[in-house]
Amino acid sequence: MLEVKNLVKRYKDKTAVNNVSFSIKEGTILGLLGRNGAGKSTIFRCILNIIDKTSGTILYNGNKIDEKVMDKIGYLPEEGSLIPSYTVLEQCKYYGALKSMSEKNIKEELVKWLNVFEIPEYIDMKIKDLSKGNRQKIQFIISLLHNPDLIILDEPFSGLDPVSVEFFKNVILDLKKQGKIIVFSSHIMGHVESLCEDILILNNGNVVLYGNLNKIKKEYSNQSINIKGEISRSDMENIKKLENVYDVIKKDEEKYVIKVKDQNKINEIYENFKTSNILEVSVIDISLNDIFLDKVGRKYDEQ
């Protein structure tokens, strides 16, 4: 299990991460979400001891993360760290040695993963001769080369075509089945929704939402009613006064969202449509982007 407790990271007068706590069990994927500069990469770097935390505790299976534990962690950084003049094999030998792997083991694992990714012919190619997407594949392979138990993926789908994205997702799901702990960030909400059990949303270094994604979506759906039609001014005023209603949002001329505390009391809303022309009433199928917008005030894809 990875446990992050009350993590704080300050840079002089700026707090990049403020009292962040979360935990991830074996065989679980956590999606870390936030606008650019929200603190995602800073959290990753603190876990990896790339930068020193200001305060807080980070534990892996109850132990502090030291050099021995680092050999159990795989990391794919958002910014590539490959050496252009190296061949794929040379690059993997370099990083594998940092993880205490023998040359024989490095080559065996590299050949295995190149075959998994269906690019065995890349072994002797230079990094500079690879496309951006293929460099990302090599970067991903490097993060898995030493068979880590904890895998940190910072924007793993960057630069990939749709076919490669699906391939990456299948590899990640297979790693989950093997009991790996996986935490990743992505700017594409669909990737997070299709892979993650749990999510953590950051805003300016603070946790604004954390928990099981299905439970969160269910709670949000139970609090939102979609109205299509024309709501008269008098009915609108009456609805806003109801104790069960805490917000009414006009989407366009004939679409409204009514936020309620208890959907079981929806009948009292119906009773106030006395002079309105209502065409449709439905429960909203909430998306993760809608939840992000509610918590951060801006859609994730508007960054």
Side-chain angles (χ1 to χ4, degrees):
M1 176 185 286
L2 175 68
E3 298 174 274
V4 176
K5 302 177 182 178
N6 308 116
L7 178 63
V8 176
K9 176 60 184 177
R10 297 191 185 94
Y11 295 98
K12 294 183 179 179
D13 58 345
K14 180 183 177 182
T15 301
V17 176
N18 184 35
N19 200 35
V20 170
S21 297
F22 62 89
S23 63
I24 320 171
K25 297 180 180 179
E26 289 78 5
T28 304
I29 305 175
L30 171 72
L32 199 59
L33 306 173
R35 293 166 58 184
N36 292 331
K40 304 185 298 295
S41 294
T42 300
I43 291 173
F44 291 155
R45 290 167 185 158
C46 287
I47 293 171
L48 294 159
N49 284 328
I50 295 173
I51 58 175
D52 294 328
K53 62 185 182 299
T54 302
S55 62
T57 304
I58 301 174
L59 301 174
Y60 176 68
N61 289 337
N63 300 310
K64 291 185 178 180
I65 295 177
D66 54 19
E67 291 183 4
K68 291 181 180 180
V69 175
M70 284 299 297
D71 284 348
K72 298 178 181 179
I73 301 176
Y75 174 50
L76 190 158
E78 181 178 8
E79 299 296 331
S81 57
L82 303 177
I83 302 171
S85 61
Y86 278 22
T87 65
V88 169
L89 177 57
E90 289 170 338
Q91 186 72 80
C92 289
K93 283 182 177 179
Y94 173 78
Y95 281 110
L98 296 177
K99 296 295 185 179
S100 306
M101 297 177 72
S102 68
E103 283 198 21
K104 180 175 181 288
N105 189 215
I106 291 168
K107 189 167 184 179
E108 288 174 347
E109 287 298 312
L110 174 58
V111 169
K112 181 192 79 174
W113 280 109
L114 288 176
N115 283 319
V116 168
F117 280 83
E118 301 176 350
I119 50 173
E121 69 277 13
Y122 287 11
I123 190 166
D124 292 317
M125 286 185 67
K126 290 187 179 293
I127 300 298
K128 66 180 180 181
D129 296 326
L130 300 178
S131 67
K132 182 179 179 181
N134 284 325
R135 290 183 190 182
Q136 187 73 350
K137 291 176 185 177
I138 299 304
Q139 191 87 56
F140 192 20
I141 287 173
I142 288 171
S143 71
L144 304 175
L145 202 63
H146 56 296
N147 192 26
D149 295 320
L150 168 60
I151 303 167
I152 297 173
L153 307 172
D154 198 353
E155 297 293 340
F157 308 109
S158 177
L160 297 177
D161 60 77
V163 174
S164 295
V165 167
E166 289 306 308
F167 197 93
F168 267 46
K169 286 165 69 175
N170 288 332
V171 171
I172 291 170
L173 289 172
D174 188 55
L175 291 166
K176 173 192 169 183
K177 289 178 183 177
Q178 296 174 34
K180 308 295 187 182
I181 297 171
I182 302 169
V183 54
F184 81 96
S185 66
S186 174
H187 278 88
I188 309 300
M189 286 292 188
H191 298 160
V192 178
E193 291 192 81
S194 63
L195 291 172
C196 298
E197 291 92 350
D198 300 327
I199 60 165
L200 186 147
I201 297 178
L202 292 165
N203 190 30
N204 296 323
N206 295 284
V207 177
V208 294
L209 188 65
Y210 169 54
N212 179 271
L213 178 55
N214 287 334
K215 289 182 179 178
I216 290 170
K217 290 181 71 173
K218 185 176 180 181
E219 289 172 1
Y220 265 81
S221 294
N222 286 343
Q223 294 175 353
S224 302
I225 299 169
N226 194 44
I227 304 292
K228 185 177 180 180
E230 297 180 8
I231 302 180
S232 67
R233 182 175 296 180
S234 60
D235 287 356
M236 178 71 76
E237 292 301 318
N238 289 332
I239 289 168
K240 286 181 177 180
K241 293 176 183 177
L242 294 175
E243 185 179 347
N244 188 39
V245 174
Y246 65 89
D247 198 8
V248 179
I249 303 167
K250 186 173 183 179
K251 292 292 186 178
D252 58 36
E253 287 302 316
E254 290 190 347
K255 290 184 179 180
Y256 302 81
V257 174
I258 299 178
K259 300 282 189 176
V260 297
K261 299 174 185 177
D262 185 355
Q263 203 176 83
N264 293 323
K265 296 181 180 179
I266 193 173
N267 285 338
E268 66 178 354
I269 294 175
Y270 283 124
E271 292 171 0
N272 282 274
F273 290 139
K274 297 176 180 178
T275 60
S276 298
N277 180 23
I278 304 302
L279 304 175
E280 182 182 316
V281 178
S282 61
V283 176
I284 293 177
D285 183 14
I286 200 80
S287 71
L288 185 51
N289 217 0
D290 292 329
I291 295 170
F292 189 89
L293 173 62
D294 182 61
K295 288 296 181 181
V296 178
R298 186 176 180 180
K299 288 185 178 180
Y300 207 39
D301 55 14
E302 291 179 349
Q303 297 187 71

